[in-house]
Amino acid sequence: MVKSPLGIIFAAAAIALAVSPEARKAARRLAVKGAGIVLELADQVKDGTKELRSTEEVKNEEKNTEQVLLP
């Protein structure tokens, strides 16, 4: 039936979630916290890329200004 240790762990977790309301509440809380962490990280990555993009725009503007000034 279930031969691997990982399979046994998943089967035990499934049984615990099916039988215990407390386990379902804990799993739900953990899922909500995990989703919050993922969303927070996504926002940080988005903000970081915005900063990189604005830095690149400044560098490009400086290059364009230098090209105009040079003969």
Side-chain angles (χ1 to χ4, degrees), residues 28-46:
R28 189 177 302 118
R29 274 190 238 115
L30 184 63
V32 169
K33 286 183 182 180
I37 290 171
V38 168
L39 291 173
E40 180 70 28
L41 289 173
D43 286 342
Q44 288 178 0
V45 168
K46 236 188 270 185

Side-chain angles (χ1 to χ4, degrees), residues 3-19:
K3 296 181 182 181
S4 73
L6 191 58
I8 294 170
I9 291 171
F10 282 136
I15 291 170
L17 290 173
V19 174

Side-chain angles (χ1 to χ4, degrees), residues 7 15 17 20 22 24-25 27-28 39 42 47 57 62 70:
I15 291 170
L17 290 173
S20 172
E22 291 85 16
R24 286 192 297 273
K25 286 180 186 178
R28 189 177 302 118
L39 291 173
D47 291 343
E57 289 173 0
E62 288 175 356
L70 293 175

